[in-house]
Amino acid sequence: MRALRWHGTHDVRVDQIEDPAIEDPRDAIIKVSATAICGSDLHLYNGLMPGMRAGDVLGHEFMGEVVDTGAAIDNLAVGDRVVVPFTIACGDCFFCNERLYSLCDHSNPKADQAAEAMGHSPSALFGYSHLLGGIAGGQAEYVRVPYADVGPLKVESDYSDEQLLFLSDIYPTGWMAVDNCDMRPGDTVAIWGCGPVSLFAIRSAWMMGAGRVIAIDRIPERLAMAEEKAGAETINFEKEDVYERLQEMTRGRGPDCCIDGVGAEAHGAGDPEAVRRDPDSGEPNHPEAINEMIKSCRKGGRLSLPGVYTSPVDGFALNALMNKSLSVKSGQTHMHAYMPALLNTIEQGLIDPSFIITHRYGLSQAADAYAQFNAKEDGCVKVVMTP
Ligand code: NAD
Ligand code: ZN
């Protein structure tokens, strides 16, 4: 089959490799019909994520058709159409029973390196380095899905792939980002970034009863999409002082909830050369977006960090965080807990997630698609590829 493989920083190629096969009775094989590139893939593309090996198959946002099932799978049949969550969870460990699926204890047993850095390793993710399982991803013609008895969500055929695909990550991620700041109806929510995750956070905040949503970025097309397709007020951080503007907009109190939809490239904004690095370690080191959130948030407010970090961040304003009684929640999305309810919002007509797609390519054009999405050029907000 053809699959997109990582060969090094800024070097991804569509290669001919062997088809995946069932390795465990709880596996299924999916023929991929659509797959997207995520902001998280850019951390791999830009060489920020440790644990990548040349030849790793990329991609964690995908859907398709079941073509083979292991002996223990009785919830899926060949021919079923499914959206696959990007986190891999066994469904029956302590953490899965707590519905903290992205912390599954069983899906990532080999994660010694991650455990060393973090104390305990999170679950495995598709196509996301050997720290997070070393599982081949779905930017390919076929993909092996472990624990297929608990992950894949069966979907009906009257919705298009483009309407359903983002249930695999960024719609639940945007939703959990809002959920994680314990938003109350009427709250003012400020969101750093107007990328795909943030755009879904804006839409989710409205569905959950926000009073006001303010989104921050510098890219004109993304700011326009946040206003026109998601209904947020916006701040261009290159043109205005974000803290001052937020103070002004909230009569000096600050937003109730602040969401970091940026993550590891806060200062790169798509340009890896511009990522601020620690002069000694060379690690990406970028406290400003988070510190701007801490400074801007109202006293007693709530921060949510869906943005992915690939190394420690120095200079994090713990003094302000503590003295302002702020609370923080973070995490890879507990996908399995959100997908069925969010499928319902699509079926009820509350949202058509395809609003976000700006570029469509065949898998063979993946290298160009990555470069374009990384550069955030030509109004590129979200790329969907069809194998
Ligand atoms: P993206 O790279 O397309 O968007 C990030 C946006 O942030 C860009 O538009 C960029 O211009 C903007 N930005 C950069 N610096 C900024 C600053 N200082 N202030 C405000 N905006 C700034 O990425 P995405 O696909 O929207 O993903 C966003 C983040 O969420 C990434 O870190 C990604 O890894 C992460 N993510 C997390 C999960 C999860 O489960 N927690 C899932 C998916 C993605
Ligand atoms: Zn993703």
Side-chain angles (χ1 to χ4, degrees):
M1 68 165 183
R2 288 175 308 124
L4 184 73
R5 299 203 297 171
W6 186 91
H7 288 275
T9 301
H10 298 165
D11 182 2
V12 296
R13 302 175 213 159
V14 176
D15 295 326
Q16 197 68 39
I17 61 169
E18 277 208 16
D19 288 359
I22 300 285
E23 293 175 16
D24 181 278
R26 293 177 70 183
D27 286 351
I29 306 294
I30 308 293
K31 180 173 196 237
V32 177
S33 57
T35 173
I37 309 177
C38 179
S40 297
D41 292 322
L42 297 181
H43 309 319
L44 314 177
Y45 186 71
N46 290 322
L48 298 179
M49 181 75 190
M52 290 298 290
R53 295 181 197 158
D56 286 348
V57 179
L58 294 172
H60 60 267
E61 300 183 0
F62 59 89
M63 62 179 294
E65 185 190 322
V66 177
V67 293
D68 198 3
T69 56
I73 300 295
D74 48 21
N75 59 314
L76 297 176
V78 169
D80 281 349
R81 188 173 179 229
V82 290
V83 183
V84 179
F86 77 99
T87 53
I88 302 171
C90 74
D92 48 35
C93 70
F94 171 86
F95 295 98
C96 287
N97 279 310
E98 293 280 312
R99 297 175 70 73
L100 299 171
Y101 294 97
S102 75
L103 303 176
C104 172
D105 240 350
H106 292 152
S107 69
N108 188 13
K110 292 181 292 187
D112 304 343
Q113 206 186 339
E116 201 177 297
M118 298 185 232
H120 298 277
S121 60
S123 70
L125 312 183
F126 287 98
Y128 218 77
S129 97
H130 291 265
L131 247 56
L132 299 175
I135 309 284
Q139 286 164 0
E141 287 181 282
Y142 296 92
V143 57
R144 179 180 73 88
V145 175
Y147 300 121
D149 50 338
V150 291
L153 178 74
K154 262 202 261 188
V155 291
E156 303 297 332
S157 52
D158 11 339
Y159 293 92
S160 67
D161 281 7
E162 295 193 349
Q163 290 171 300
L164 298 169
L165 175 61
F166 305 127
L167 286 168
S168 63
D169 179 350
I170 52 172
Y171 180 19
T173 295
W175 186 280
M176 188 172 106
V178 179
D179 206 15
N180 264 354
C181 47
D182 298 330
M183 198 202 74
R184 302 172 200 156
D187 273 357
T188 295
V189 183
I191 303 179
W192 273 253
C194 293
V197 165
S198 298
L199 289 160
F200 278 107
I202 298 169
R203 294 291 300 263
S204 300
W206 289 129
M207 284 187 268
M208 291 158 91
R212 203 165 172 189
V213 185
I214 304 164
I216 302 143
D217 206 304
R218 68 178 183 95
I219 299 173
E221 294 91 342
R222 291 180 176 220
L223 288 163
M225 195 180 266
E227 283 176 21
E228 289 156 21
K229 300 212 171 152
E233 298 166 78
T234 59
I235 301 174
N236 183 330
F237 71 81
E238 280 184 337
K239 296 202 171 137
E240 293 180 277
D241 182 278
V242 176
Y243 167 76
E244 297 289 345
R245 184 81 188 100
L246 284 172
Q247 288 292 106
E248 214 174 273
M249 292 170 96
T250 57
R251 298 182 185 192
R253 185 192 285 171
D256 305 290
C257 304
C258 293
I259 297 176
D260 166 24
V262 182
E265 287 174 85
H267 298 278
D271 173 7
E273 301 313 316
V275 172
R276 259 190 31 167
R277 287 172 191 274
D278 184 281
D280 300 321
S281 66
E283 294 291 339
N285 183 29
H286 31 62
E288 278 101 332
I290 300 180
N291 285 349
E292 203 165 70
M293 288 172 57
I294 293 173
K295 186 175 173 189
S296 304
C297 195
R298 76 153 163 88
K299 292 182 278 185
R302 293 150 255 135
L303 311 180
S304 162
L305 276 57
V308 164
Y309 287 86
T310 52
S311 68
V313 174
D314 297 335
F316 182 66
L318 277 173
N319 51 341
L321 182 90
M322 183 272 164
N323 281 296
K324 290 176 75 177
S325 301
L326 303 181
S327 52
V328 186
K329 281 194 190 174
S330 188
Q332 301 282 3
T333 305
H334 305 300
M335 293 296 298
H336 305 54
Y338 292 97
M339 288 172 78
L342 296 184
L343 173 61
N344 270 337
T345 64
I346 298 171
E347 290 171 345
Q348 285 163 18
L350 296 173
I351 185 168
D352 176 351
S354 65
F355 79 90
I356 201 165
I357 304 170
T358 53
H359 289 71
R360 297 167 174 87
Y361 291 112
L363 182 65
S364 54
Q365 296 157 295
D368 290 340
Y370 263 75
Q372 186 183 41
F373 180 56
N374 192 42
K376 295 174 171 47
E377 281 169 352
D378 314 312
C380 185
V381 178
K382 191 72 178 176
V383 180
V384 171
M385 302 186 292
T386 41

